[in-house]
Amino acid sequence: MRVRGLLALLSLALLAGGLAHAADSAYPGRNGSLLFLRDVGGNASPGSHIFLAAPDGSGLRDVTPPGFVDIRSASWSPDGRTIAFSGLHESRNGVAVYLIAADGSGLR
């Protein structure tokens, strides 16, 4: 009986952790936009790009700076004005970390 109680408690803790993680991935930046990665497809080179959209899905826009062939991860800054991302640029040999403004400008 004691083992069942411990298993139930462990299951509940794992479930709560999983729900928190899923909720974090859908959190809009403070500017109200959702940030996500998506393959462009078509004739574009394979690899993810950075997209922004309103919470209802409208206003979809690709803010990936020119020359990036694969974005690996992206995240809002706490104030919602900057995006940090890791990606592969066509002029480099490896993945590096970059910053851009929320509109895709100001690559650093």
Side-chain angles (χ1 to χ4, degrees), residues 1-22:
M1 183 69 164
R2 185 175 182 163
V3 172
R4 271 192 187 164
L6 288 173
L7 287 176
L9 185 60
L10 180 60
S11 297
L12 186 59
L14 289 173
L15 178 62
L19 291 176
H21 180 68

Side-chain angles (χ1 to χ4, degrees), residues 1-101:
M1 183 69 164
R2 185 175 182 163
V3 172
R4 271 192 187 164
L6 288 173
L7 287 176
L9 185 60
L10 180 60
S11 297
L12 186 59
L14 289 173
L15 178 62
L19 291 176
H21 180 68
D24 290 342
S25 66
Y27 181 75
R30 289 190 182 178
N31 60 21
S33 295
L34 298 173
L35 167 70
F36 60 97
L37 302 180
R38 184 179 97 181
D39 285 340
V40 178
N43 292 328
S45 58
S48 295
H49 279 222
I50 303 168
F51 283 85
L52 301 179
D56 66 359
S58 65
L60 180 67
R61 61 193 186 281
D62 184 346
V63 296
T64 308
F68 282 88
V69 294
D70 191 14
I71 305 298
R72 305 291 174 90
S73 63
S75 182
W76 284 113
S77 65
D79 65 6
R81 292 188 289 183
T82 306
I83 299 168
F85 69 94
S86 63
L88 180 62
H89 192 274
E90 62 190 8
S91 68
R92 300 191 114 194
N93 290 332
V95 174
V97 176
Y98 300 90
L99 297 173
I100 55 173

